[in-house]
């Protein structure tokens, strides 16, 4: 295999970020632009001050040039995240969050800090949520077995972080668990 | 751990020796024992690597005794506290305790094999969380830190990891490090 070892096990976080930046976000454009065709689709037209939906990568680009304001998605605010944090700490299961919330939140907080209310508070809430969820996936690790693992509402970044060793650990368990399947292979299987 | 023919780990795991008791006389094979005898006599006990022991055991030329890494003493210690057993010192440096156990398990009959599987699985589960916890701890330390304050018990545990667990440790550390790096990187610096 030509890929370096570190890339064989799973996707890297920057790659996930790239995937997440295809998602649409609402912006308030400050410039006018005709409907324009890109490889991933046609976006626009931009008519200030009408809101428009464009992919995050494009919004980031415009934002860097100070040509738009980004409207944060409805889950990226203090009240919503506060409520999720309470759910996260009071209940055993993972709370429901957008699948790529970690990536989107980071991109928007990095680029459009001035469009988001109370960004520091949001950052610390996201960090708390992340830690609470990490503790839960650690509990999931204790329950791991060779055939299946169900951790509903886990998000892409979290799945990606635990994937390499969960997969390996389950592989090891498959080998050392004795059941009908391994027995049938018997000596030939060696 | 794999069953792959080309898996180096599997070959290494098969290199562990187990004690075999021959049931029949085998002429002209005395050199296997390294002794001066010409023949292997019935009832003689010889330490043989697993890869040759299989075929002797399956062909009913020999019996084997449960090797010392899986003796009753080790089992008791594992039952008491799996995390304080040094698996690596049971099978030698870089040894594959689980791989060895898996092969021995396949040589056993139903009841003892189930027991063996239970021991392997329980030990693996009991130790896994600690392996991952420590891996994540070391990923968080970064290149400068490491060791020092982490305590003797943690150090002992790390030294006692078997080859399979070491691999898991490296995987968990690598992925935790990568994720942490991403969380700490900033978009602003890129342009």
């Amino acid at each position: 295999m030509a890929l370096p070892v570190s890339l064989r096990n799973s996707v890297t976080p920057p790659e996930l970020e790239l995937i997440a930046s295809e998602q649409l976000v609402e912006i308030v454009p400050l410039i006018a632009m005709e409907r324009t065709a890109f490889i991933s689709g046609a976006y626009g037209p931009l008519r200030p001050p009408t809101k428009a939906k464009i992919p995050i990568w494009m919004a980031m680009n415009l934002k860097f040039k100070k040509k738009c304001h980004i409207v944060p998605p409805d889950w990226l605010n203090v009240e919503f995240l506060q409520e999720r944090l309470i759910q996260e700490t009071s209940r055993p299961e993972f709370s429901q969050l957008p699948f790529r919330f970690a990536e989107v939140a980071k991109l928007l907080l990095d680029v459009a800090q001035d469009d988001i209310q109370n960004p520091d508070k949001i950052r610390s809430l996201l960090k708390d949520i992340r830690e609470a969820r990490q503790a839960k996936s650690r509990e999931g690790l204790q329950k791991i077995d060779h055939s299946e693992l169900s951790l509903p509402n886990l998000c892409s970044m979290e799945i990606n972080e635990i994937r390499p060793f969960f997969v390996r650990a389950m592989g090891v368990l498959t080998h050392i668990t004795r059941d009908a399947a391994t027995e049938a292979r018997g000596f030939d299987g060696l | 751990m794999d069953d792959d023919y080309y898996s180096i780990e599997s070959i290494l795991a098969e290199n562990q020796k187990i004690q075999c008791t021959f049931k029949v006389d085998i002429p002209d094979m005395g050199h296997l024992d390294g002794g001066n005898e010409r023949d292997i006599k019935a009832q003689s006990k010889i330490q043989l690597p697993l890869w040759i022991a299989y075929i002797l055991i399956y062909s009913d030329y020999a019996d084997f005794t449960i090797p010392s890494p899986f003796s009753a003493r080790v089992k008791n210690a594992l039952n008491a506290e799996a995390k304080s057993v040094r698996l690596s010192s049971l099978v030698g440096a870089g040894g594959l305790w689980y791989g060895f156990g898996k092969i021995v398990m396949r040589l056993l009959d139903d009841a003892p094999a189930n027991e063996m599987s239970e021991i392997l699985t329980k030990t693996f589960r009991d130790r896994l969380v600690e392996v991952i916890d420590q891996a994540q701890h070391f990923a968080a330390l970064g290149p400068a830190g490491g060791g020092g304050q982490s305590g003797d018990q943690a150090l002992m545990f790390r030294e006692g990891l078997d080859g399979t667990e070491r691999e898991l440790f490296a995987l968990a550390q690598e992925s935790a490090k990568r994720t942490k790096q991403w969380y700490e990187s900033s978009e602003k610096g890129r342009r």
Side-chain angles (χ1 to χ4, degrees), chain A residues 28 41 43 54 64 77 101 184 188:
Chain A
V28 180
Y43 302 108
I54 58 171
F64 275 122
N77 58 55
F101 84 95
D188 301 330

Side-chain angles (χ1 to χ4, degrees), chain A residues 92 134-144 151 166, chain B residues 129:
Chain A
Q134 260 178 342
K136 284 182 194 171
S137 71
R138 183 176 171 275
E139 268 166 42
L141 188 63
Q142 286 164 333
K143 284 182 248 149
I144 194 170
L151 293 172
F166 264 68
Chain B
V129 176

Side-chain angles (χ1 to χ4, degrees), chain A residues 57-120:
Chain A
W57 59 265
M58 190 172 157
M60 277 164 59
N61 206 301
L62 289 175
K63 179 73 194 170
F64 275 122
K65 296 171 183 157
K66 306 213 182 328
K67 287 177 180 165
C68 76
H69 293 298
I70 294 178
V71 181
D74 49 8
W75 52 268
L76 194 62
N77 58 55
V78 175
E79 297 82 61
F80 185 91
L81 292 175
Q82 194 100 56
E83 181 216 329
R84 282 298 136 99
L85 178 62
I86 292 166
Q87 274 183 27
E88 205 72 69
T89 44
S90 57
R91 291 199 212 155
E93 74 267 11
F94 289 94
S95 68
Q96 220 169 356
L97 279 161
F99 185 60
R100 302 192 187 278
F101 84 95
E103 296 94 315
V104 174
K106 179 168 177 293
L107 283 173
L108 295 187
L109 282 169
D110 273 356
V111 178
Q113 212 188 119
D114 46 339
D115 293 335
I116 298 168
Q117 282 176 2
N118 224 338
D120 292 327

Side-chain angles (χ1 to χ4, degrees), chain B residues 69-87 90 97-98 119-120 122-124 126-127:
Chain B
F70 304 97
S71 62
R73 198 175 54 82
V74 175
K75 277 180 202 168
N76 288 339
L78 285 173
N79 267 333
E81 178 55 75
K83 279 180 239 169
S84 58
V85 178
R86 295 176 64 133
L87 296 183
L90 293 175
W97 188 80
Y98 295 103
I119 293 163
L120 290 174
K122 183 174 174 295
T123 309
F124 184 73
D126 286 355
R127 293 167 63 96

Side-chain angles (χ1 to χ4, degrees), chain B residues 12-32:
Chain B
L12 286 176
E14 284 188 3
N15 208 23
Q16 297 281 346
K17 290 189 174 173
I18 61 171
Q19 174 140 322
C20 293
T21 312
F22 279 85
K23 289 180 180 169
V24 290
D25 285 348
I26 299 174
D28 294 336
M29 280 296 177
H31 61 271
L32 282 182

Side-chain angles (χ1 to χ4, degrees), chain B residues 68-136:
Chain B
S68 62
F70 304 97
S71 62
R73 198 175 54 82
V74 175
K75 277 180 202 168
N76 288 339
L78 285 173
N79 267 333
E81 178 55 75
K83 279 180 239 169
S84 58
V85 178
R86 295 176 64 133
L87 296 183
S88 69
S89 54
L90 293 175
V91 284
L96 296 153
W97 188 80
Y98 295 103
F100 187 20
K102 181 190 75 176
I103 299 169
V104 173
M105 178 176 94
R106 295 206 177 151
L107 291 172
L108 292 164
D109 296 331
D110 258 337
N114 283 337
E115 196 198 331
M116 183 74 133
S117 161
E118 211 168 282
I119 293 163
L120 290 174
T121 323
K122 183 174 174 295
T123 309
F124 184 73
R125 282 230 186 104
D126 286 355
R127 293 167 63 96
L128 183 63
V129 176
E130 181 73 13
V131 172
I132 303 299
D133 277 357
Q134 288 209 24
Q136 280 168 348

